[in-house]
Coordinates of all heavy atoms in Angstrom, one line a residue:
A1366 N 24.7 5.6 -154.5 CA 24.5 5.9 -153.0 C 25.0 4.8 -152.1 O 24.7 4.7 -150.9 CB 23.0 6.0 -152.8
Q1367 N 25.8 3.8 -152.7 CA 26.3 2.7 -151.9 C 27.0 3.1 -150.6 O 26.7 2.5 -149.6 CB 27.2 1.8 -152.8 CG 26.6 0.9 -153.7 CD 27.6 0.1 -154.5 OE1 27.4 -1.2 -154.6 NE2 28.6 0.6 -155.0
Q1368 N 27.8 4.1 -150.7 CA 28.6 4.5 -149.5 C 27.7 5.1 -148.4 O 27.8 4.7 -147.3 CB 29.6 5.6 -149.9 CG 30.5 5.9 -148.8 CD 31.7 6.8 -149.2 OE1 31.9 7.0 -150.4 NE2 32.5 7.3 -148.2
E1369 N 26.7 5.9 -148.8 CA 25.7 6.5 -147.9 C 24.9 5.4 -147.3 O 24.6 5.5 -146.0 CB 24.9 7.5 -148.6 CG 24.1 8.3 -147.6 CD 23.3 9.5 -148.3 OE1 23.5 9.7 -149.6 OE2 22.6 10.3 -147.6
I1370 N 24.5 4.4 -148.1 CA 23.7 3.3 -147.6 C 24.5 2.5 -146.6 O 24.0 2.2 -145.5 CB 23.2 2.4 -148.7 CG1 22.2 3.1 -149.6 CG2 22.7 1.1 -148.2 CD1 21.9 2.4 -150.8
A1371 N 25.8 2.3 -146.8 CA 26.6 1.5 -145.9 C 26.9 2.3 -144.6 O 26.8 1.7 -143.6 CB 28.0 1.3 -146.6
V1372 N 27.0 3.5 -144.6 CA 27.2 4.4 -143.4 C 25.9 4.3 -142.5 O 26.0 4.2 -141.3 CB 27.4 5.9 -143.8 CG1 27.3 6.8 -142.6 CG2 28.8 6.1 -144.4
L1373 N 24.7 4.1 -143.1 CA 23.5 3.9 -142.4 C 23.4 2.5 -141.9 O 22.3 2.1 -141.3 CB 22.3 4.3 -143.2 CG 22.3 5.8 -143.6 CD1 21.1 6.1 -144.6 CD2 22.0 6.6 -142.3
G1374 N 24.3 1.6 -142.3 CA 24.2 0.2 -141.9 C 23.3 -0.6 -142.7 O 23.0 -1.8 -142.4
G1375 N 22.9 -0.1 -143.9 CA 22.0 -0.8 -144.8 C 22.7 -1.8 -145.7 O 23.8 -1.6 -146.0
H1376 N 21.9 -2.7 -146.2 CA 22.4 -3.7 -147.1 C 21.4 -3.9 -148.2 O 20.3 -4.1 -148.0 CB 22.7 -5.0 -146.4 CG 23.7 -5.0 -145.3 ND1 25.1 -5.2 -145.6 CD2 23.6 -4.6 -144.0 CE1 25.8 -5.0 -144.5 NE2 25.0 -4.6 -143.5
V1377 N 21.9 -3.8 -149.5 CA 21.1 -3.9 -150.6 C 21.1 -5.3 -151.3 O 22.2 -5.9 -151.4 CB 21.5 -2.8 -151.7 CG1 20.6 -2.9 -152.9 CG2 21.5 -1.5 -151.1
V1378 N 20.0 -5.8 -151.7 CA 20.0 -6.9 -152.6 C 19.0 -6.6 -153.8 O 18.0 -6.0 -153.5 CB 19.5 -8.2 -151.9 CG1 20.5 -8.7 -150.9 CG2 18.2 -8.0 -151.3
A1379 N 19.4 -6.9 -155.0 CA 18.6 -6.7 -156.2 C 18.1 -8.2 -156.5 O 18.9 -9.1 -156.6 CB 19.4 -6.1 -157.3
I1380 N 16.8 -8.3 -156.9 CA 16.2 -9.6 -157.3 C 15.8 -9.5 -158.7 O 15.0 -8.6 -159.0 CB 15.1 -9.9 -156.3 CG1 15.7 -10.1 -154.9 CG2 14.4 -11.2 -156.7 CD1 14.6 -10.4 -153.8
M1381 N 16.1 -10.4 -159.5 CA 15.8 -10.4 -160.9 C 15.4 -11.9 -161.3 O 15.9 -12.8 -160.8 CB 17.0 -10.0 -161.8 CG 17.6 -8.7 -161.6 SD 19.2 -8.4 -162.3 CE 19.0 -9.0 -163.9
P1382 N 14.5 -12.0 -162.4 CA 14.1 -13.3 -162.8 C 14.9 -13.9 -163.8 O 14.5 -14.6 -164.8 CB 12.7 -13.0 -163.3 CG 12.7 -11.7 -163.9 CD 13.7 -10.9 -163.0
E1383 N 16.2 -13.6 -163.8 CA 17.2 -14.1 -164.9 C 18.1 -15.1 -164.4 O 18.4 -15.1 -163.2 CB 17.9 -12.9 -165.4 CG 16.9 -11.9 -166.1 CD 17.6 -10.9 -167.0 OE1 18.8 -10.4 -166.6 OE2 17.2 -10.6 -168.1
R1384 N 18.7 -15.8 -165.3 CA 19.7 -16.8 -165.0 C 21.0 -16.1 -164.5 O 21.2 -14.9 -164.8 CB 20.0 -17.7 -166.2 CG 18.8 -18.6 -166.6 CD 19.1 -19.6 -167.7 NE 19.5 -18.9 -168.9 CZ 20.2 -19.5 -169.8 NH1 20.9 -20.7 -169.7 NH2 20.4 -18.9 -171.0
R1385 N 21.8 -16.9 -163.8 CA 22.9 -16.3 -163.1 C 23.9 -15.5 -164.0 O 24.4 -14.4 -163.6 CB 23.7 -17.4 -162.3 CG 24.9 -16.8 -161.5 CD 25.3 -17.8 -160.4 NE 25.7 -19.0 -160.9 CZ 26.9 -19.4 -161.0 NH1 27.9 -18.6 -160.7 NH2 27.2 -20.7 -161.4
R1386 N 24.1 -16.0 -165.2 CA 25.0 -15.3 -166.1 C 24.6 -13.9 -166.3 O 25.4 -12.9 -166.5 CB 25.3 -16.0 -167.4 CG 24.1 -16.3 -168.2 CD 24.3 -17.0 -169.5 NE 25.1 -16.3 -170.4 CZ 25.4 -16.5 -171.7 NH1 24.8 -17.7 -172.2 NH2 26.0 -15.8 -172.4
Y1387 N 23.3 -13.6 -166.4 CA 22.7 -12.3 -166.8 C 22.7 -11.5 -165.5 O 22.9 -10.3 -165.6 CB 21.4 -12.5 -167.4 CG 21.4 -13.2 -168.7 CD1 20.9 -14.5 -168.8 CD2 22.0 -12.7 -169.8 CE1 21.0 -15.2 -170.0 CE2 22.1 -13.4 -171.0 CZ 21.5 -14.7 -171.1 OH 21.7 -15.3 -172.3
A1388 N 22.4 -12.1 -164.4 CA 22.5 -11.3 -163.1 C 23.9 -10.8 -162.9 O 24.2 -9.7 -162.4 CB 22.0 -12.2 -162.0
K1389 N 24.9 -11.7 -163.1 CA 26.3 -11.4 -163.0 C 26.7 -10.2 -163.9 O 27.4 -9.3 -163.6 CB 27.2 -12.6 -163.2 CG 28.6 -12.5 -162.8 CD 29.3 -13.8 -163.1 CE 30.7 -13.8 -162.6 NZ 30.8 -14.3 -161.2
A1390 N 26.2 -10.3 -165.2 CA 26.5 -9.3 -166.1 C 25.9 -7.9 -165.7 O 26.5 -6.9 -165.9 CB 25.9 -9.7 -167.6
M1391 N 24.7 -7.9 -165.2 CA 24.1 -6.7 -164.7 C 24.8 -6.1 -163.6 O 25.1 -4.9 -163.6 CB 22.6 -7.0 -164.3 CG 21.9 -5.9 -163.6 SD 21.3 -4.7 -164.9 CE 19.9 -4.0 -164.0
K1392 N 25.3 -6.9 -162.6 CA 26.0 -6.4 -161.5 C 27.3 -5.8 -162.0 O 27.7 -4.7 -161.5 CB 26.4 -7.6 -160.6 CG 27.2 -7.2 -159.4 CD 27.5 -8.3 -158.4 CE 28.4 -7.9 -157.3 NZ 28.6 -9.1 -156.3
A1393 N 28.0 -6.4 -162.8 CA 29.3 -5.9 -163.4 C 29.0 -4.6 -164.3 O 29.8 -3.6 -164.1 CB 29.9 -6.9 -164.3
A1394 N 28.0 -4.6 -165.0 CA 27.7 -3.3 -165.8 C 27.5 -2.1 -165.0 O 27.8 -1.0 -165.5 CB 26.5 -3.7 -166.7
V1395 N 26.8 -2.3 -163.8 CA 26.5 -1.1 -163.0 C 27.5 -0.8 -162.0 O 27.5 0.2 -161.2 CB 25.1 -1.2 -162.4 CG1 24.1 -1.4 -163.6 CG2 25.0 -2.3 -161.4
G1396 N 28.5 -1.7 -161.8 CA 29.5 -1.5 -160.8 C 29.0 -1.7 -159.4 O 29.5 -1.0 -158.5
A1397 N 28.1 -2.6 -159.2 CA 27.5 -2.9 -157.8 C 28.4 -3.7 -157.0 O 29.1 -4.6 -157.5 CB 26.1 -3.5 -158.0

């Protein structure tokens, strides 16, 4: 829904209790 969210002017942030390498891996895995 990224495109629809952007059209509405919204901005997403995901917050996780993990070190940066794992946050980076999650972002890449889901294509965010």
Side-chain angles (χ1 to χ4, degrees):
Q1367 278 182 137
Q1368 185 172 353
E1369 190 173 2
I1370 291 170
V1372 168
L1373 293 171
H1376 296 269
V1377 180
V1378 291
I1380 298 177
M1381 298 164 51
E1383 295 194 319
R1384 295 188 292 155
R1385 181 157 61 101
R1386 61 179 291 192
Y1387 298 108
K1389 194 179 182 90
M1391 176 75 153
K1392 179 179 178 178
V1395 303

